[in-house]
Amino acid sequence: MSTIQGMPNLGPGLRLHLNENTAGCSPRVLDAIHRVSADDVATYPDYEAAVRETAAHLGIDPDWVVLTNGLDEGLLLTAIGYLTPRAPESLVALGATPVASNGQTEQIVVLPTFEPYLINAKALGARTVAIPSDADFAFPLQKVLAAITPNTRLILINTPHNPSGRPVAESDIRAVIAAAPHAIVFIDEAYHDFQGVHYLRFTREFENVIVGRTFSKAYGLAGIRIGVVIAPPALLEPLRYVMPLFNLNSVAVAALRASIADPGFMTWYVGQARESKALLYEALTRSGLPHWPSETNFVLVNFGDRLAEMVTGLRAKGVHVRDRSKEHGCAGCVRITVGPVEHTRTAIAALEELCAKR
Ligand SMILES: Cc1ncc(COP(=O)(O)O)c(C=O)c1O
């Protein structure tokens, strides 16, 4: 069979496998898309207003913002900008050696991790130092600190963490930043809206921090592809240098502006995710299924030796969940997206029926 672009299509059903917003998006986003004109379609996009509004929304200056085609692109641009053998000037100014000593740059990630972190580095010939998380997905601070070398160019910290849902402590993030002044610490905040904690201020407090955001999750724009990379202008230069000039299309620009103008939708969805998590925790506890408290819109659940049967059973009932069992610390585990309470109740009913069958 030939390989088709993108993720495999699981067919119809409740999509609880990709941490998407299953409530959709703000109706204002759809209105804005309907208002996109023939001129908007026929001309290259203008980003000025969208960048200014995004910056105002984040409370920072517009030149501290790069809009990307999903945070995926932001991560790729960061890898290209910082993992090539010759260090960008912005990093040399912070103490990085201009050329990696053995020609191989390094990045540090904590396992389990978001797969593109690994693929990006591999494609660039950089070495990934992958540190297994401690018990219950605790951030392995001492091991991360011990892994820092003069060749370390990038340290990726995802908080709250996918797939465990666990946040990284502020003190741990600070310790990593302080221990690697010659490297970029990229804080991936894809799920920060659900925790209500974020580290944007670290981009001002420190010289080596980049923060990544996405509109795919809480804002429900995964299909439109919008990410934001935030850092001091000098740190963004290597990304701007390689990024496609028109990386977001005009429809995405319209959607982003409308989405920012309607924070109520996001707040409502975050509330639904919170209620859903409480319901799901209760149901999982009733069924004796181990799980981890989550600060995101998903929950990691351990089905143990029933993994395959549960994943297939749920799929047969029209509920798609994500098998993460092959990753460090995740044997027997799936990740279940939690959004609108109504969807969570459907998932719980399917799950309880399967558990009752045993
Ligand atoms: C930790 C993490 N970072 C980045 C992304 C990428 O998000 P986007 O849809 O904006 O590319 C995801 C998406 O699932 C994610 O889980």
Side-chain angles (χ1 to χ4, degrees), residues 18-19 69-73 75 114 117 158 162 188 190-191 213-217 222 225-227 335:
L18 292 179
N19 306 338
N69 202 286
L71 182 50
D72 279 346
E73 190 193 41
L75 289 162
F114 186 55
Y117 296 179
N158 173 210
N162 177 9
D188 181 335
Y191 301 96
R213 296 278 182 87
T214 178
F215 279 76
S216 295
K217 310 297 177 184
R225 315 297 302 125
I226 301 168
R335 197 191 58 199

Side-chain angles (χ1 to χ4, degrees), residues 3-341:
T3 303
I4 304 292
Q5 190 171 351
M7 295 277 288
N9 183 351
L10 299 182
L14 188 50
R15 295 171 59 92
L16 304 185
H17 62 305
L18 292 179
N19 306 338
E20 296 156 334
N21 190 323
T22 55
C25 63
S26 157
R28 292 209 211 166
V29 169
L30 296 182
D31 290 346
I33 292 173
H34 284 128
R35 284 197 304 272
V36 167
S37 70
D39 267 356
D40 293 331
V41 171
T43 54
Y44 288 107
D46 177 2
Y47 299 121
E48 170 101 23
V51 168
R52 288 192 184 283
E53 286 162 17
T54 306
H57 171 71
L58 297 170
I60 51 172
D61 290 337
D63 57 348
W64 286 52
V65 167
V66 167
L67 299 179
T68 59
N69 202 286
L71 182 50
D72 279 346
E73 190 193 41
L75 289 162
L76 179 60
L77 294 175
T78 305
I80 297 171
Y82 284 97
L83 291 177
T84 46
R86 188 166 289 280
E89 272 171 31
S90 54
L91 214 52
V92 175
L94 296 180
T97 47
V99 178
S101 59
N102 56 0
Q104 201 174 35
T105 55
E106 294 170 11
Q107 71 167 7
I108 299 174
V109 305
V110 172
L111 299 177
T113 193
F114 186 55
E115 210 185 355
Y117 296 179
L118 304 174
I119 295 167
N120 293 345
K122 196 170 171 197
L124 291 160
R127 176 167 174 250
T128 292
V129 183
I131 314 283
S133 56
D134 287 340
D136 286 322
F137 305 101
F139 188 77
L141 176 64
Q142 293 311 324
K143 291 177 206 141
V144 169
L145 296 181
I148 297 169
T149 75
N151 285 349
T152 306
R153 289 279 187 74
L154 183 60
I155 303 173
L156 290 142
I157 299 180
N158 173 210
T159 184
H161 172 245
N162 177 9
S164 69
R166 181 175 176 151
V168 180
E170 175 172 341
S171 53
D172 288 358
I173 303 175
R174 283 183 178 277
V176 174
I177 296 169
H182 63 292
I184 295 294
V185 176
F186 189 104
I187 308 177
D188 181 335
E189 296 191 333
Y191 301 96
H192 85 93
D193 298 291
F194 302 99
Q195 188 192 9
V197 170
H198 69 77
Y199 296 101
L200 262 193
R201 64 187 181 284
F202 282 7
T203 59
R204 284 190 217 105
E205 195 177 328
F206 302 98
E207 289 179 303
N208 59 330
V209 173
I210 299 181
V211 168
R213 296 278 182 87
T214 178
F215 279 76
S216 295
K217 310 297 177 184
Y219 290 87
L221 304 185
I224 296 271
R225 315 297 302 125
I226 301 168
V228 189
V229 179
I230 303 122
L235 290 195
L236 293 179
E237 254 171 48
L239 282 72
R240 293 191 195 279
Y241 184 69
V242 291
M243 67 191 277
L245 191 54
F246 300 110
N247 59 338
L248 256 72
N249 65 57
S250 307
V251 178
V253 169
L256 170 62
R257 297 182 66 192
S259 187
I260 288 173
D262 184 15
F265 173 80
M266 186 276 274
T267 313
W268 168 81
Y269 173 71
V270 168
Q272 288 284 295
R274 192 175 306 118
E275 260 187 68
S276 280
K277 276 183 279 189
L279 289 173
L280 185 58
Y281 297 156
E282 274 174 33
L284 293 169
T285 304
R286 275 199 304 275
S287 301
L289 290 167
H291 54 279
W292 288 264
S294 165
E295 299 284 353
T296 62
N297 68 335
F298 55 81
V299 175
L300 192 67
V301 182
N302 191 346
F303 286 146
D305 56 7
R306 298 189 66 192
L307 173 85
E309 169 201 340
M310 292 295 282
V311 172
T312 327
L314 285 169
R315 186 172 305 169
K317 290 179 181 298
V319 178
H320 301 308
V321 296
R322 182 80 183 270
D323 182 344
R324 300 288 303 241
S325 62
K326 305 274 183 304
E327 291 160 70
H328 168 79
C330 296
C333 290
V334 301
R335 197 191 58 199
I336 305 179
T337 307
V338 283
V341 168

